[in-house]
Amino acid sequence: MKKLMWSFVFVLAFFLIPFTATHAASNDQQLMKEIKEIIKNTYVGTIDGNLEKATSISEIMEMLDPYSTYFTKQEFEDYMNSINLSTIGIGVIIEEHEDGIHILQVIEGSGAFEAGIKAGDIIIAVNGESIIGRSTQETSSLLIGNEGTQVKVTIKHNNETTTTKTITRKKFTLPNVQSELLFGHVGYISLASFSEDGAQLVKKALIDLKQRGATSFILDLQNNGGGYVTTAEEMTGLFPSAKIAYLLEEAHASYTIPAVHQDTKFPKNTRILVNRYSASASEMLSASLKDQKAAILYGETTYGKGAMQGFYTLHDGSYLKLTVGKFTGPASQTIHEVGVKPNIQTTSAPIFQAHFDALKEQYPKYRKLSTAKSNATKEKVSVKIPAVLSSQIAKDHVQLVALGANEVSITAKVEGQTLVVTPAKPLVADQEYMLLIHANSKGQKGYYQHIKINQ
């Protein structure tokens, strides 16, 4: 399974519903006074300097933690758009490619969609400037711009022909949730941002996958930088036995925040994927589920942002984003600058181990073959098998599963005490697999093996 790369840079974020400041005036001195008063009353953290002697907003912000920021009205709108995965551009999801920039998906209704751009096309130039060898970030900076403006994009098609199209930039929203039914009736859902509607989108995907036959689930929060607190509270409610969303410590009080009740639930054995870029709301949800044993965390220790920000509307329409609290999971373990340690730490993509464990759970009586007796290349997988098993294996009882995806087409045969599995297409070097040898009759036992390709 390939995680899509968004065609814009997501801003690390975490915030509450905006507060409205009570003071109002039309001059800069009043604005400074306003900001200082809010900081004195609600800021949680160290103030590095003399707040009262500060003579500019930038000087004040330099005294606070890196998550406290001042926004103009336009900057605030741009920031909100980043949380909800909205931006202005041609409307494509891209990845790097040796021939240029590969288009993975075209957003319906976008300028690229209307210009006839297709998934699989490769961008080779923007406004006549070659982007071969450029990163997705560099290319994105050329594709985004003001709404209604135009950009010339040169495309190479699958038939090797090229065309140049003039595309009008529009505001569009990237898909926040992706879902897929993996081999073994395992439902996979990824959440890119804790947007306002994030929990509703996940719930919809959960219901859809259940209707398609999913019996266990993997929720992917890798690279999710956070978002709305209320979405984290709603997400926690999707898990059985998770009654508490988080513990909050503000400047003058502490609270236990309950999860929002949901009528649809993930199963208890749901697996959560996290990495070092899972932050804020991702960490809030992960800590809550881990502490309450409501799910199993896979991956690596998360980013470590256990500080919560609130937005204050100032009298001139600008905004102050301010750290107003520190949060933890129900077990009160520190998250800020520490992160959340997963139950199962992985050295490769956590989807591989999570899917493997989900499948192994479905075959509780199957035995593991010895990993020391297997050899796997892109062209062939050879596995030593017990002598008693060599006469019992039927070729249609052997399956090879690409972990994080689906079954691989193979042929299988037994040569002495070796099971030889030949894939119809070469296996992928950075992919992991699971070999399943099913029982030939009721009295026999099945076997499994975790396969990694020899480099």
Side-chain angles (χ1 to χ4, degrees):
M1 166 170 292
K2 182 180 290 182
K3 190 80 183 278
L4 302 183
M5 292 184 66
W6 307 124
S7 58
F8 73 109
V9 178
F10 177 65
V11 181
L12 182 70
F14 198 110
F15 55 92
L16 290 165
I17 297 171
F19 298 92
T20 301
T22 55
H23 301 289
S26 58
N27 56 70
D28 290 343
Q29 287 299 319
Q30 181 60 27
L31 186 61
M32 290 280 292
K33 181 179 179 182
E34 219 176 340
I35 292 172
K36 290 178 181 179
E37 193 66 25
I38 294 170
I39 292 172
K40 286 189 289 184
N41 290 332
T42 61
Y43 178 68
V44 173
T46 302
I47 299 175
D48 187 15
N50 190 324
L51 182 65
E52 292 300 333
K53 291 185 177 180
T55 58
S56 69
I57 294 175
S58 60
E59 185 181 353
I60 293 175
M61 292 299 105
E62 288 176 1
M63 296 180 183
L64 309 181
D65 69 13
Y67 305 114
S68 297
T69 312
Y70 172 79
F71 290 101
T72 64
K73 190 173 182 179
Q74 183 59 53
E75 288 170 341
F76 175 74
E77 182 179 340
D78 293 341
Y79 183 82
M80 292 290 285
N81 284 338
S82 74
I83 299 298
N84 289 312
L85 300 181
S86 294
T87 190
I88 298 172
I90 68 170
V92 293
I93 295 173
I94 58 178
E95 68 174 356
E96 292 172 20
H97 189 279
E98 61 184 359
D99 294 334
I101 293 295
H102 182 215
I103 297 175
L104 293 168
Q105 184 178 343
V106 179
I107 307 301
E108 188 171 352
S110 66
F113 181 85
E114 293 177 351
I117 304 297
K118 305 291 185 184
D121 287 343
I122 296 174
I123 301 173
I124 59 174
V126 177
N127 287 330
E129 180 181 345
S130 173
I131 51 84
I132 296 173
R134 299 267 190 109
S135 67
T136 54
Q137 288 80 8
E138 289 177 300
T139 304
S140 291
S141 68
L142 299 174
L143 297 176
I144 63 176
N146 294 327
E147 190 168 9
T149 59
Q150 294 183 325
V151 58
K152 289 185 178 180
V153 180
T154 303
I155 299 289
K156 183 169 80 171
H157 306 285
N158 289 331
N159 61 5
E160 298 299 318
T161 63
T162 62
T163 57
T164 298
K165 295 179 179 288
T166 300
I167 303 175
T168 301
R169 296 182 176 101
K170 293 183 176 183
K171 185 174 182 178
F172 66 94
T173 301
L174 292 165
N176 190 16
V177 169
Q178 298 177 69
S179 63
E180 185 177 347
L181 187 62
L182 310 181
F183 177 86
H185 306 290
V186 179
Y188 169 89
I189 301 172
S190 69
L191 179 66
S193 169
F194 280 66
S195 60
E196 275 189 290
D197 60 351
Q200 286 71 37
L201 293 173
V202 170
K203 183 177 178 179
K204 183 177 182 297
L206 172 62
I207 292 171
D208 175 66
L209 286 167
K210 282 184 175 180
Q211 291 174 344
R212 292 169 59 190
T215 55
S216 62
F217 288 85
I218 295 170
L219 176 63
D220 195 344
L221 299 179
Q222 295 178 96
N223 305 312
N224 185 315
Y228 286 89
V229 150
T230 50
T231 301
E233 295 165 8
E234 292 166 358
M235 285 288 295
T236 309
L238 290 171
F239 291 83
S241 76
K243 307 301 181 186
I244 299 172
Y246 56 95
L247 306 183
L248 175 64
E249 182 179 344
E250 292 185 336
H252 306 293
S254 298
Y255 305 93
T256 298
I257 309 299
V260 175
H261 173 74
Q262 303 282 1
D263 54 7
T264 299
K265 303 284 185 180
F266 280 99
K268 190 173 182 179
N269 64 349
T270 296
R271 292 163 170 87
I272 311 294
L273 310 184
V274 294
N275 65 2
R276 70 190 67 182
Y277 304 113
S278 304
S280 295
S282 299
E283 296 177 285
M284 175 180 282
L285 177 62
S286 298
S288 177
L289 300 180
K290 181 183 178 183
D291 288 353
Q292 296 175 93
K293 296 181 172 58
I296 309 163
L297 270 60
Y298 286 73
E300 58 185 355
T301 300
T302 60
Y303 184 84
K305 182 177 180 292
M308 183 184 295
Q309 284 72 48
F311 270 100
Y312 293 84
T313 307
L314 304 174
H315 76 269
D316 64 348
S318 60
Y319 291 83
L320 176 66
K321 178 165 74 78
L322 195 65
T323 296
V324 295
K326 300 288 178 67
F327 66 85
T328 69
S332 299
Q333 295 185 1
T334 301
I335 294 174
H336 197 57
E337 299 182 348
V338 175
V340 180
K341 184 178 179 180
N343 300 100
I344 298 173
Q345 297 188 73
T346 62
T347 54
S348 59
I351 182 67
F352 298 149
Q353 189 64 48
H355 192 194
F356 179 84
D357 288 351
L359 294 176
K360 189 171 66 171
E361 199 172 69
Q362 296 180 20
Y363 302 100
K365 295 183 179 180
Y366 278 37
R367 294 180 178 180
K368 180 182 179 182
L369 290 168
S370 172
T371 56
K373 297 179 181 178
S374 67
N375 181 53
T377 65
K378 294 179 182 180
E379 289 73 30
K380 183 173 65 175
V381 176
S382 300
V383 182
K384 292 291 184 181
I385 55 176
V388 67
L389 186 60
S390 61
S391 62
Q392 299 174 356
I393 295 178
K395 62 180 182 180
D396 57 345
H397 286 188
V398 178
Q399 290 179 294
L400 186 65
V401 180
L403 295 172
N406 286 288
E407 185 176 1
V408 176
S409 178
I410 62 167
T411 57
K413 63 180 179 178
V414 176
E415 299 177 352
Q417 283 186 240
T418 301
L419 172 64
V420 179
V421 176
T422 305
K425 295 181 179 179
L427 302 179
V428 180
D430 58 356
Q431 172 73 50
E432 295 181 16
Y433 300 84
M434 184 177 193
L435 181 68
L436 288 168
I437 304 173
H438 300 290
N440 208 16
S441 64
K442 191 174 182 180
Q444 297 170 358
K445 296 183 182 297
Y447 291 83
Y448 66 85
Q449 175 70 295
H450 195 152
I451 302 291
K452 296 182 182 180
I453 306 302
N454 295 335
Q455 300 294 321

